[in-house]
Structure formats: C-alpha cells, structure tokens
Amino acid sequence: MWVVGRALLGPVVIVSAVLVCFASIGVLSGDVTSQHPDLLALWLPNHCFLGRSLAAADIPAWNPYAMAGAPFVADPQSGWMNLTAMGLYSRFSCATALPLYIALQPILAGLGLYGFLRSEGLRRVGATVGGAWLAVAIARSRLGISLAFSGTVAWTAVLLWCTSRYLQAETRRSRVLWLGAAAISWGQIAAIHPSHGLLIGTAAVVTLACSHVFRRARGERSSTLRSLAILGAAAVFVNLAVILPRLAYFGRTSLALGYGELQPDRAIGGLEFSDLAALLLPGGVFLGPLALICLLRARRSSLVIAMGVFTLGAILLSLHSVADVLKDLVGGVPGGDFYIHDPARLSIGALIGIAVLIGAGASRLFSEDRGILELLSVRGLLLGCLTAEIAIGAAPLKSPSPDRSVVQATWFDPLTDSFLPIDEYMTPPPVVPELGHTGRYITVENGSNWRGSLPRQAPDDLGFMANQRAMLFHLGGVEATTAPVQPIRYWKIVRAFADRDMKYNASEIDPGAAVLCDLFDVRYAIFEDERYAGEPGAGEGGRQLRLRLLSDSTNVQLFDHWRGVESSAQALALVTAPGFDPSDTAIVEGVPSQRDDSGDEASSATLESSGTQELEIDVDAGRTSLLVIRMSFDPGWKATIDGTPVEVVPADYAILGVRVPPGSHRVRLVYSDPTIGAGLIGSGLSLLVLLLIAGFPSPTPAVARIPVIVGARRRAPSSA
C-alpha cells in the first residue's frame, strides 16, 4: 500500500494543483473568460458543432452555419480527430465539455511530463516538481485558455513520454505498443495545431532522440536512428485520418496564399528581451524562483544538454530581433512565412524544455549526499513552495472589466477571474426566434476595427450574435471573426467589397454591400439603435438591438440567361463591376453563355429540404436554365437531377450553380469528401497492423534500458 501511495503521490499533487487553480477563478463551476478571444469565438462553436454532430452519428464534412458554408472536417482547427474534444463534446453538453476540456490540458501536460521524466530515470520528486511546474504554469496563465497551445504543450509532453518508453522498450510487444501510443500523440498535436504546434512537438521528439543517440554506445546509435525513422513513418500512417482531409483542402483555402499575401503590411511579431522573465514566472510567485534554483542545479547529461539546446533555440527563434534578421532568409522558403507570421508562438516550446530542466535540477537536489536535516529542509522547501503556490492559486485574481473583452499581450500573463457563466453564453438571445432559420444575418457594430467583432465578447455583446455564435443555434451565419482557414473564393470576394482593412482571419460584410448581401442571401442585419441606449427597458447592459431587413433574396434561384466566362478572375471582375445585380443574371465559369430570349416560359425553384450537407430542390424550367444555390462553392458538392449525376459549377464566382434541362425536376445536392473515409480506413489499417505485430511473441529482448544520469540513481540494464 505504501509503495502504491508513493507512486501516486506525484500525479495526485499535479492534478490537485490544476483543479485548485481553475476552481479559484470559476472555470470548474461553469464560468468562462474572454481573456483569450478564440476560446468563445473559435473553439467553443467548432467543438460544439463537432460534438453534437458525432452524437447524432454524423460526420460533419460541411458547416452551413459560418462563411455561407464551408468544409468543416478538413478545417485544421475544426477539432476533427482531436480525441479529447470529440469525446467530451459528444458525451456532455457544450457548457459542461468546455471547462472539462480546459482543465484536462494542464493535467495531461503535467502527467505526461511526470511520466517522461520518470522514464528517463529521474526521481519521483524531480518528476513531480517538473510536472507540477508545467501544469501550474498553464493553469495560472493565459496559456490555459489558449486551447491550441495548451493542447500543444499537453500532447508534446505525452509524446515525449511515449517516445522515451518506445526507445527503451525491452520486448517487441511493448515496443510496438509504445510506438503506436507515440504516433497517436503526434497525431493529436497535428489535429490541434498543425503549424507551430506540430513543429514544436516534432522538434521535441527529435531532440529526445538525439539525447539517446549520444548516450548510447557507438554501435547502438544506428538502431536509435532507425527507431526514430520508424516512428516518423508510423506517425504519418496512423494519422492519415488527420492528414488527408486537411492536405486535400489546403489548396482551396485562404491560407494557401501565404501570410505574405494575407497580411502584406503586418509588422513582424515576436517577444522582446523583457518578456523572457515570463517564461519562469508563469509557475507563480514561489515556483518561479524555485524553478530558477532547480535550473541552476541541473547536472549536465545528454538529456539536460539536448533539452537545454532545444529551449535556447525556441527562445531565440521567438525573439523579435532574431525574426527580423531571419525574415529575408526564411521568407522565400516554402512554409517559412508562417514563422515570420508569429515567432512568439515558438516560446511555447521553451516552456516544455524549462520544465524538463527544472525536474532534472530538483532530482539532483535529492541525489547528493546530505545529512538527514539538510535533506528534510530541501524537501520542505519544495513542498512548501508547491503548497504556497497552490494557496495563492486559490485566491482569485483581479477580474477583467465586464464591459469589454480583455486581450493580453503575451501567453504567460496571469489568468484572470472568469466573469461570464457558460450557460448564459449558450442561451439563445431574444433575437434568435426573430431570425428564424431562413436566410442569413450579419452583425453591424459601430467602431468595428480590423479584427471585426472579435474583441466584443462582454455579456452585453451577446445579443449581436457575432463570433460564430450562429453555429451554436444552427442559424445562417455568413461572417467569420477568427477563422484562420477560409474558402479562398469567399475570402477574396468579401475583401473585394470591403471598405476597410480586415485581419486575415476575419471576414465581415458591410450592410451597404448590396451585391454581396444578395449573393449570399443575407436578409437581416443586427445593429445597435443608439437612440434607445441607456433608456429604461433598453435591454441588458443598456443596449437596444434591432433587426433590419436588408433583402428579400431567396436561397435558390432559377435563371434562363447567364454569362459564361473562362476563369475565376474574369468572374470576380464581373461580379464586382458596377451595375452587377445577382438577382437579375448570373456569371458562370466553364459554361457557354445563354442569352435572354425574353420568352414567357414559367420557371421556379423551391428548396424542399435541407440538412447540414444535403439539399433537395424542386425546379420547373420552361427552357434550359441555371439553378443558383446561394452557398459557398466547393468542388465537394455533387448534384443529381432525377438521379442522374450533373456538374456543379461556380456561379457568381463564390456560390453554387447547376444547369437543369426544361421541365419539372428534383435536384439533389450532397456534399462529400472522399479523403475523410480514405483517412479513416488508412488510420484503422495502420493501427491494426501495429496490433497484429504486437500480438506476435517476441523471440529475444530488444534494446536494454540505458541508465540515464540526470541526478538520479543508475538503473541497471534488465536481465530479461
């Protein structure tokens, strides 16, 4: 019992520290903060839509509730194959799943690092201090609600643990099982943040492999390199379900333009030297100085040296001054512009490296020969610092101002007290029944800036239904406030009609852009009537919201004449030209023009049924006509007329068009992405192969465990 208690003490301390930190600011009781704007505007609607769809036994390949429709599973930040998000949001309500997801990330990070440090030979106390520091650093800072990066840290720690066990496994069965676990962990990083996050996770694994190479005998180094190559191949094949849909979709997205074109005038970001102290301070007032002491006590070893180089590299590359020097060198390299886009994100990797070094230093404090009193004093110092930090974490920090969203400057700013109950955010405001489920709406706010409505997430802003809230209530959303990946045609046409600059991941429509409103079937605008502001009964927060009918457009329309063009550039030029009226004619790509014969043939189109990725339309055409569906174009849409497949073409540059013959017909459109099924089959087969290999008996032991000296006792090689 005592042995079991000692083994569980470290994990219990890590989990308890996280729960106390989050409970103190209301996260576990259902309160949320908009201190990081993506929490409510991106992750909640995406994960909620995904979870609800999976709970209904549906894979949501298409999202009709944002950007006038867009591929969903293929979106790198949809949450698809993020096992934590899929499991929680499909099992629990969105209001319950969100705080659970937030709390689980630092717990995974702390436990993953604890397991990694123990696998590398560190004492329990060193692994506990390293894991607790990393977990508390996430839970007490803004990083805790930056879900893409808290998830990156969490699964990188788990990936290091699994890789360490894989490289040291003594039997084929355990080796293959840890290989599969490591591959799945790498895939979780790819599902959460496939750019900076995946770079950080992959670099951390390569760093760990290098430390194993340098501490093995010369004759065994080739086997370690071979193991790393096998891990790389397994990571790709096991995660085809993650990779294939995103890879196939990338060329049709705004991100394919590159950050240089998305934001040509943006200044290079990055940390300043004054920000570096924050890399230690997220652990808190007591754990920060303790971390520095442990860093200075870390004994030189292959692991410490390798992780030290990794940490230093992450810090240097995250600095603004370094990025400014490297911009010309990496800017022309394919994919290099994503580094210039936000170098500060790489500092997240340094957090992992620092936690490893802290664990190594703490382990050494207990490995040296000490008298019993000195040993107890050191142990008391560590436990005292942890206890004091948890006690401080139990005291809520200052709340942000309730009238505006708080957006801090760095990842490591303290996480403030929550101020908005998640149940309130998930409650439909009074304007929702008025909107109904026909047509789309836009949000009109005075003083909108280049980030759109994203900063407006206070309680009295909820009635505007901005920030992708349409996804929560299955309404017709047409705008995006924080969508890094957008359909390229949608992204371009919104900017062609815009009268102001917008951030690359925001797309908002001005109510004065009548052509764009008609083209996307935007019927309503939600706006604030300032004449009523502050008057009694004006509504929550003294704000009065009104609905304005912008258009009586229809979501489907039949044309007996149109103009055909050869290229998308020609179509965009004609649609944005003065005098174009999308309710009078259509511009079609790859289809010959058909003139208006001014006949009296009757024609009509009626939307009979619609789902998230399926439409059925009854048409009655007096002559060959063009059916226009006011939904974003994507080649994944397939159409049949009375069961016969027909081509879906881009109409008016950005929406769907189908040519129909004369007569009465049923047109059926279905969205499908074959890469989703292919990816699932590929991942399933890869995992099956690993399980079959693991099932065969191992004839001889694999590589024996190598003793690691980082301030721990030597582990004797197994005699098995």
Side-chain angles (χ1 to χ4, degrees):
M1 182 65 69
W2 168 244
V3 174
V4 174
R6 288 185 60 195
L8 293 178
L9 180 60
V12 168
V13 168
I14 293 169
V15 173
S16 301
V18 172
L19 296 180
V20 169
C21 289
F22 277 140
S24 67
I25 59 173
V27 170
L28 298 182
S29 61
D31 290 345
V32 293
T33 175
S34 55
Q35 191 177 352
H36 192 290
D38 288 354
L39 180 66
L40 297 177
L42 177 64
W43 301 114
L44 175 60
N46 277 2
H47 289 173
C48 191
F49 176 61
L50 175 64
R52 287 171 173 174
S53 300
L54 294 176
D58 180 34
I59 296 178
W62 183 260
N63 173 20
Y65 307 121
M67 298 177 284
F72 184 74
V73 161
D75 187 329
Q77 297 191 323
S78 65
W80 173 247
M81 296 311 298
N82 178 344
L83 300 181
T84 309
M86 292 170 65
L88 290 177
Y89 281 86
S90 61
R91 175 63 180 84
F92 302 102
S93 69
C94 300
T96 301
L98 177 62
L100 290 177
Y101 186 91
I102 293 173
L104 193 56
Q105 305 314 303
I107 290 175
L108 274 177
L111 295 181
L113 195 79
Y114 177 89
F116 167 61
L117 295 179
R118 290 292 293 153
S119 175
E120 290 294 303
L122 270 71
R123 291 174 176 268
R124 287 191 178 91
V125 66
T128 300
V129 171
W133 182 88
L134 182 61
V136 173
I138 298 173
R140 284 184 57 85
S141 71
R142 181 172 170 256
L143 184 60
I145 56 172
S146 305
L147 299 187
F149 299 103
S150 64
T152 293
V153 175
W155 284 103
T156 297
V158 175
L159 174 60
L160 288 172
W161 178 23
C162 296
T163 304
S164 175
R165 295 299 302 269
Y166 161 63
L167 293 176
Q168 300 180 72
E170 299 176 1
T171 65
R172 182 168 61 189
R173 174 174 297 178
S174 62
R175 192 174 181 82
V176 172
L177 291 177
W178 283 111
L179 170 64
I184 292 173
S185 301
W186 184 88
Q188 291 306 287
I189 303 174
I192 293 170
H193 202 267
S195 56
H196 294 85
L198 196 57
L199 175 62
I200 291 170
T202 303
V205 166
V206 172
T207 300
L208 172 62
C210 289
S211 74
H212 277 254
V213 167
F214 287 122
R215 70 173 177 247
R216 292 186 187 274
R218 186 176 300 272
E220 296 178 345
R221 292 179 179 177
S222 60
S223 65
T224 302
L225 295 175
R226 186 165 55 250
S227 297
L228 183 62
I230 293 173
L231 174 58
V236 171
F237 285 102
V238 167
N239 295 292
L240 287 175
V242 179
I243 297 170
L244 286 185
R246 291 161 169 84
L247 197 61
Y249 179 45
F250 179 79
R252 311 195 304 273
T253 69
S254 55
L255 209 56
L257 298 173
Y259 286 108
E261 185 172 343
L262 291 175
Q263 288 185 260
D265 301 325
R266 172 169 174 160
I268 296 175
L271 298 179
E272 301 296 338
F273 284 100
S274 58
D275 297 324
L276 296 183
L279 286 172
L280 287 177
L281 294 180
V285 179
F286 289 94
L287 284 184
L290 174 62
L292 183 59
I293 295 173
C294 291
L295 280 175
L296 297 176
R297 298 292 293 175
R299 176 179 292 168
R300 189 171 64 181
S301 67
S302 59
L303 177 64
V304 169
I305 293 173
M307 295 307 295
V309 172
F310 171 78
T311 302
L312 181 61
I315 292 174
L316 290 177
L317 289 174
S318 68
L319 292 174
H320 167 76
S321 55
V322 174
D324 192 44
V325 172
L326 295 178
K327 66 178 184 297
D328 294 330
L329 178 63
V330 303
V333 177
D337 59 349
F338 89 90
Y339 161 66
I340 302 298
H341 164 63
D342 196 349
R345 292 177 175 178
L346 296 182
S347 63
I348 304 300
L351 201 68
I352 301 169
I354 291 173
V356 173
L357 299 179
I358 288 171
S363 185
R364 185 187 177 193
L365 288 175
F366 286 90
S367 66
E368 297 174 343
D369 294 331
R370 298 175 182 274
I372 184 63
L373 294 179
E374 185 179 2
L375 187 62
L376 290 175
S377 65
V378 173
R379 185 185 296 272
L381 173 65
L382 293 175
L383 295 179
C385 287
L386 282 172
T387 303
E389 202 57 57
I390 293 173
I392 289 179
L397 300 175
K398 182 180 179 181
S399 300
S401 173
D403 61 343
R404 288 293 181 269
S405 167
V406 177
V407 181
Q408 300 288 351
T410 69
W411 304 111
F412 310 114
D413 289 324
L415 186 61
T416 55
D417 190 12
S418 303
F419 65 86
L420 177 64
I422 184 61
D423 287 332
E424 181 179 339
Y425 193 85
M426 296 296 300
T427 300
V431 74
V432 169
E434 298 183 56
L435 287 172
H437 294 277
T438 59
R440 298 187 176 93
Y441 73 91
I442 59 175
T443 296
V444 182
E445 288 199 76
N446 297 324
S448 291
N449 58 27
W450 77 305
R451 304 183 71 190
S453 303
L454 184 62
R456 307 298 295 269
Q457 297 185 18
D460 59 345
D461 292 321
L462 299 185
F464 279 107
M465 290 293 294
N467 297 312
Q468 280 96 258
R469 291 192 77 207
M471 294 176 62
L472 300 177
F473 308 113
H474 294 181
L475 298 175
V478 70
E479 296 178 305
T481 50
T482 177
V485 177
Q486 302 180 23
I488 183 64
R489 291 173 179 262
Y490 165 86
W491 188 89
K492 286 186 175 182
I493 200 170
V494 169
R495 279 152 179 78
F497 284 96
D499 58 358
R500 59 186 174 87
D501 291 335
M502 287 182 284
K503 193 176 180 182
Y504 76 97
N505 60 357
S507 291
E508 295 194 339
I509 298 175
D510 188 275
V515 171
L516 202 56
C517 289
D518 287 345
L519 190 145
F520 283 131
D521 188 26
V522 178
R523 303 187 192 180
Y524 304 101
I526 304 177
F527 68 101
E528 182 176 7
D529 192 336
E530 294 184 341
R531 294 173 299 173
Y532 297 92
E535 294 185 5
E540 186 177 10
R543 307 177 73 175
Q544 183 66 53
L545 303 182
R546 290 286 186 265
L547 272 181
R548 180 193 301 166
L549 182 64
L550 297 180
S551 168
D552 57 358
S553 63
T554 58
N555 43 23
V556 295
Q557 190 172 356
L558 207 59
F559 292 93
D560 61 5
H561 62 280
W562 59 85
R563 179 172 177 178
V565 296
E566 296 181 355
S567 68
S568 61
Q570 289 178 301
L572 181 60
L574 290 173
V575 170
T576 55
F580 175 73
D581 184 356
S583 64
D584 180 63
T585 188
I587 308 298
V588 190
E589 298 173 34
V591 176
S593 300
Q594 179 165 298
R595 293 181 297 177
D596 183 6
D597 290 340
S598 301
D600 295 329
E601 298 91 345
S603 63
S604 64
T606 306
L607 180 63
E608 291 296 330
S609 64
S610 63
T612 56
Q613 45 206 16
E614 182 177 347
L615 303 171
E616 289 191 356
I617 305 161
D618 285 339
V619 299
D620 188 3
R623 57 182 296 200
T624 299
S625 302
L626 179 74
L627 174 64
V628 170
I629 303 97
R630 303 198 180 282
M631 182 178 291
S632 292
F633 174 80
D634 189 88
W637 281 101
K638 309 300 179 185
T640 60
I641 297 179
D642 299 329
T644 302
V646 294
E647 183 182 11
V648 178
V649 296
D652 294 342
Y653 178 73
I655 57 179
L656 302 170
V658 177
R659 280 202 300 177
V660 296
S664 298
H665 305 283
R666 171 63 62 94
V667 179
R668 186 168 184 262
L669 290 99
V670 176
Y671 185 82
S672 63
D673 184 348
T675 62
I676 298 174
L680 289 172
I681 292 173
S683 293
L685 291 176
S686 299
L687 288 172
L688 180 60
V689 169
L690 290 179
L691 290 175
L692 290 175
I693 294 175
F696 287 104
S698 178
T700 56
V703 180
R705 295 175 64 89
I706 303 298
V708 184
I709 307 301
V710 285
R713 292 171 294 189
R714 285 182 179 266
R715 286 190 176 187
S718 173
S719 59

